[in-house]
Amino acid sequence: MKSVLLLQFTRLKRAPTLMISFVVLTIVFVAVIGGFGTSTNGKETVYAYGEGKTAAWLDLLNESNVYQFEMITKQEAQEQVKTGKLHYALELQPNNYQFLVGTEDPEQVSVQQYVQNVFQKERQLQQISLTVDDPAAIRDQIEASLDAPVLTVHTEALHETAYTDSSANRYQVMIGMSLYFVIYTIFNNLTNIIMEKRNGTWNRIILSPVRKWQVYMGHLFYCFVLGFMQIGIVFLVFRYLFGYNNEIDFLPTIVTISAYLFAIVSLGMLLLGVASKPQQLQAINPIVATGMAMLGGAFWPLDAVSNGIMIALSKAMPIRYGIEALKSAMLFNQGFEAVLQPIAFLLLFGVICMGIGINLMERVKN
Amino acid sequence: MLETELLQKKFKDQLAVDGINFYMEKGESIGLLGPNGAGKSTTISMISSLIKPTTGDIRLNGKSVVKNPQLIREVLGVVPQEIALYEELSAYENLKFFGRIYKLRGKELEKKIHSVLNLVGLQERQKDLVKNYSGGMQRRINIAVALLHEPEILIMDEPTVGIDPQSRSYILDMVRQLNEERGMTVLYTSHYMEEVEKLCDRIYIMDHGKIIASGTKEELKSVLSNEETILVDMNPISKELMQTLEEDDEIIQVNEIDKGMKLIVPKGSNKLTSIFHQTEAFGVQVTNVNVQVPTLEDVFLHLTGRTLRD
Ligand SMILES: Nc1ncnc2c1ncn2[C@@H]1O[C@H](COP(=O)(O)OP(=O)(O)OP(=O)(O)O)[C@@H](O)[C@H]1O
Ligand SMILES: [Mg+2]
C-alpha cells in the first residue's frame, strides 16, 4: 500500500498543476465572494457619528465581538455615504439612533438588528432602575443573572440566517467552497484507477505480491491525504493571511474534515463503479460535484432556500453535513456533541458508497 | 511444468479461446503464433491469472492455478502487449516502483534495476521520462519491468510490435540469452513467423481460438514436406488466371500475394511449363519466378488458407 501511495505522490510531483490550481481557485472564489478580513481584530467596522452624550452608547455597542463602532464627524459620514465609499452610517443621538443609508446593504440590516437590541436592553434597564432605590445594585443583579441564567433558550438564528452576520457569511463561503473544490481534486485523482486499468499498469500490480485491497487503499488514502492538504492549505491561508481568525474547536474540525473526505472518496468510488470509461467520468464528475454543492448549500446557505423538495434533497448530500459540522466547530464552537450527528451521517454514507462502488467495479471485470 | 487443459474463454457470445491444450517444460522456449484476434492475448491472460477461464484448467507442477492464482504469480513475469508504464515518470522511477511491489528494497533493488537496465541497454537513459522515449525504448523498458524479480517463467505478448529492426533484433537476442544462459522458460507470442522460428524450441499455431498445429519447426514443416511453393510475380495480376489455375487438380493451393501469386504444388510435379502456358494465354507478363522449400508461413497458409498478417 505504501508503495502505491508513494507512487501517487511521485506522480503528483511531476504534474502538480491541477492540484495547485484547485487550491488557487478556492482561495480566489472565497476571497471574491466572502471578502477579505476587513479589520485586524476580525470585527466588522461600522462608522457612527452624533452629538451630545453618545459616548456611553458607543461603549455599549462596542461590547460586540462582531462589530467595531468608530466615530467620525457628521460631515465625513454624509460625504462618504454620498460618494458611495460607505454604504451606510449610524447616527447616535442621546436617546435614540438612526441610520443614514446610501446603498442597500444586507450587512446594514444585521447591524441595525444589533443596535436595536442594545438600545432596547439598555432602555429596559433604565426603566427598571427608576423604580428601585439602588439602581447600581439592581443592574449588577440583572447582569449576573443574565450571565448565569436559570433557563437557556438556545437559538442559532442569528448565525444560521443568511447574511445576518458577516463573519458567519465569510465562514460559510470559505467552508462551502473548500468542500466543493476538494470534490474535484478527489474525483480527478480517483480517475487514476481507471487510467491504470486501461493502460495495463493495474494488471502489472495485480500480478505482483501486492494484494488488490492494498492497491485500492493506496489510491484511496492518497486522495484522502490530498484532500486534507487542500482544505488545510485553504483554511490556513485564510486564517493567517486574510484574518479569518475565529477561535475554532480543533479536534471536531479535524474529525469532521476526515469524515467528509471519506464520504467523498467513497462517492468517487461509487461513480467509478457506475461509469467505467474516463470520458464518462469526465462528464459525470462535474455534474455530481456541482449538483451536490448546490443542493447541499455550498454556494448559498440553506436558509436561503425555501423549496421543500430542495431542502429534502439537501438532506442526502454529504456536503451539507460537512458544512453544518464545520460551521459548528469553526464558528459557533459548539463542541463535539454538535458534530457527532453529521459525522455519523458522513461515515454511514461513505461505507454504503464504498461497498456498492467496489462491488460494481469488481463485477464489471467478470 | 505448466499445462492447460481444454482451456476456454467466452466473452458474451464470442468464443475467444476454444478448448486449447498445451504444455511447457522447464527451460523450454515456446512460440505461440497466430493472426490478429486468434486468442493469443486471451490465452496469456488466463495463464497469468488475470482473467478466469470459462471452463478448463491451468496447472503449474500439477496444481490448479485457477483455484490458487498466487501460485503462478510468484514465478511469472509478464510483458503485456500494450506498453504498461507510467509515462510521466522516468524509466528508473518505473523500475523502482515495480521493484518495490515485488518487495525489493534498498541495495538489492538498486542492483536489480542496474542489471535489467544493462540487459535492455538503457543504462544511460534511465533518468529520462518514459514518454520521451522512442517506441523501441519503451518496449525495452516494458520488458525490463517484467524481469526485475527474476521470474522462472517469462511470458511475452508480441513484444516487438511496431518497432525499428534494430530494437527488434536486440530484443530477440536478449530473449534468447535469457532462455539459453539463464534457463528461463519463455512463452513468446507473435505474429511474426520468422521471430518464432529463430527463437523457439516448439511452436503452437493458433487460429480462431483453436490450436491448429503444434510441434518443433521441423515437425511443422514436415506437414508440407511433399510440397513446394512457387512464387510468381506478374503484371497485371489476373484473378481469372488464378481461378483457372485453381481448377487444376495438380495445384494444391493458389493465393494472391503482394506482386503476384503463390502456388503450392506437389514436389517434383514440374508445373512451371503449364503455368507459363496459362500466363501467356491470359496475356499476363511474368516478371519473376521463385521456387521455394516451404516456410512456416506456408504451413500457416496451408492450414488456414490465409496469411498471418492480413
Ligand atoms: N475483454 C474482452 N471482451 C470481449 N471480447 C474480447 C475481449 N478480449 C478479447 N476479446 C475478443 O477475443 C478475440 C481474441 O482476442 P485476443 O486479444 O486474445 O487476440 P490476439 O490473438 O491477442 O490478437 P492480436 O494479435 O491482435 O493481439 C478477439 O476477437 C477479441 O475481439
Ligand atoms: Mg494480443
Side-chain angles (χ1 to χ4, degrees), chain B residues 41 81 157-158:
Chain B
S41 297
Q81 183 169 356
D157 196 350
E158 306 195 23

Side-chain angles (χ1 to χ4, degrees), chain A residues 269-270 272-274 355-365:
Chain A
M269 287 295 276
L270 178 64
L272 286 193
V274 174
I356 302 175
I358 290 194
N359 257 313
L360 282 177
M361 229 184 301
E362 286 303 303
R363 198 170 45 217
V364 167
K365 250 183 74 191

